[in-house]
Amino acid sequence: MKILVVGAGAWGTALAVAASHRHTVTLLARDPVHASEMVRDQVNKKYLPSVPLPESLIVQTGDLVPASSDAQLVVIATPMAGLREQLARLSDAKAQAPVAWLCKGFEKPVQAGSAGLLGHELARTLAPDLRTGVLSGPSFAQEVAKGLPTALVAASPDATVVQTLVNAFHTDALRLYGSDDWVGVEVGGAVKNVLAIATGLCDGLTLGLNARAALITRGLAEMARLGVALGARQETFMGLSGLGDLVLTATGDLSRNRQVGLQLATGRSLPEIITSLGHVAEGVYSARTVVSRANALGVDMPISRAVVALLDGELTAAQAVRQLMQRQPTAET
């Protein structure tokens, strides 16, 4: 199979490396200098420095449309902010290959008063003619690139897209499960980033393992409430893209969103933290949209609201925790 991966960040590079052992894979980098360095050094020093690139992996730069012309699968591995442009260009080019994306989060609203959209909502709006889907689940790029065991979800209402993703990436080390609930899969991938910031804050303040367990569990309830209100199935949130991805992102120190919470607990400013990370932490950009979409649907998300207030400087770390703990008693379900 000929696969085009658009975006040479950590996750795009990792998936391209994993697939290049069985398929013809082209990794399309936005920056020509970055692409030439990867070709020269046979490693992505900027985003995945510990993993050598296979000789079979084709690294290039250039225009998306001609690069995708003979691909049998296009995988968009840009941050969420870049998904709109890539989908629009592929739609204008009338791409025939299935298109899937890896980014997790809500798009930042394009204008005041508009709603930030999930990937599948963007696809329905901008590219209804394309066959599209999403690849998500609990996965750190470094571990996938090194061939460590990982399980992901390929989600789309189009069964042929799901099967194409399975054929492309399913191996002994990378197990893929199919789903037609791409709403639930995307909500899980977006909200877990916000909850990981909260969990990092909890751990940074050394509130204990009891607090961490409570935060993850109640966060999962928030995630499911929003997802069901958007049309997802409840059971999706007990799977890889819900509970699985939440646990990994909230507790694994490779998580950039968790690192944001940990550093906020030390009193560092948000701009300082973002600069020091050097990578996108999608939860920072999605948190406000998560709360905005929840408010519009009448969905209560107190943990996510506290994260937004913290990011906006309306609450200190200690105040955010106190606000959550002082809420009125309620039934668990």
Side-chain angles (χ1 to χ4, degrees), residues 242-260:
L243 177 61
D245 210 357
L246 173 58
V247 170
L248 179 73
T249 311
T251 65
D253 284 336
L254 290 175
S255 163
R256 294 189 293 273
N257 293 285
R258 173 176 165 79
Q259 288 299 324
V260 169

Side-chain angles (χ1 to χ4, degrees), residues 15 25 49 54 71 90 103 117 133 145 176 179 236 256 277 284 292 326:
L15 205 62
V25 182
L90 290 167
C103 43
L117 302 180
L176 262 67
S179 171
T236 299
R256 294 189 293 273
L277 286 175
V284 173
S292 176
Q326 289 178 347

